[in-house]
Structures are given as C-alpha cells and as structure tokens.
C-alpha cells in the first residue's frame, strides 16, 4: 500500500472556502452586475461588490 501525494495549486488561507465562493462570484459576473446596478461608492476605495 502506497501513499498518494496530491499537489494543490491554490493557496490555502484561513478563510477556508470563501476564496472559492469569491472566484465563482466573479466568474459569473455578479461583481460587475452589483457595481453596475448600485453605482460607484464615494466614501471609500471599496466597491459594493467588495463588501459582498
């Protein structure tokens, strides 16, 4: 019986699965849709999609 070694190409972060959710969110175009519909924020350097 041998040991199977797998290489992971994504960085593991303390946020767990949130990076995968964020990637899908961006891939599906939801970030662009949110920013387009809600407009630009003037208070800070963050967009509405960054908050979600």
């Amino acid at each position: 019986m041998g040991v199977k070694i797998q290489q992971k190409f994504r960085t593991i972060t303390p946020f767990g699965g949130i990076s995968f959710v964020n990637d899908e969110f961006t891939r599906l175009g939801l970030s662009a849709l949110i920013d387009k519909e809600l407009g630009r924020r003037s208070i800070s350097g963050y967009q509405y999609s960054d908050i979600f």
Side-chain angles (χ1 to χ4, degrees):
M1 181 192 274
V3 175
K4 184 176 180 180
I5 298 174
Q6 295 180 346
Q7 289 184 342
K8 299 292 181 185
F9 296 103
R10 292 191 177 199
T11 304
I12 297 173
T13 67
F15 297 106
I18 196 70
S19 60
F20 299 110
V21 172
N22 189 43
D23 290 346
E24 284 298 305
F25 196 78
T26 302
R27 187 183 70 77
L28 293 171
L30 295 175
S31 296
L33 177 66
I34 289 170
D35 291 337
K36 178 183 159 203
E37 294 299 319
L38 295 178
R40 188 160 183 83
R41 293 185 71 207
S42 60
I43 297 173
S44 69
Y46 295 102
Q47 297 300 323
Y48 285 109
S49 62
D50 296 329
I51 295 169
F52 286 99

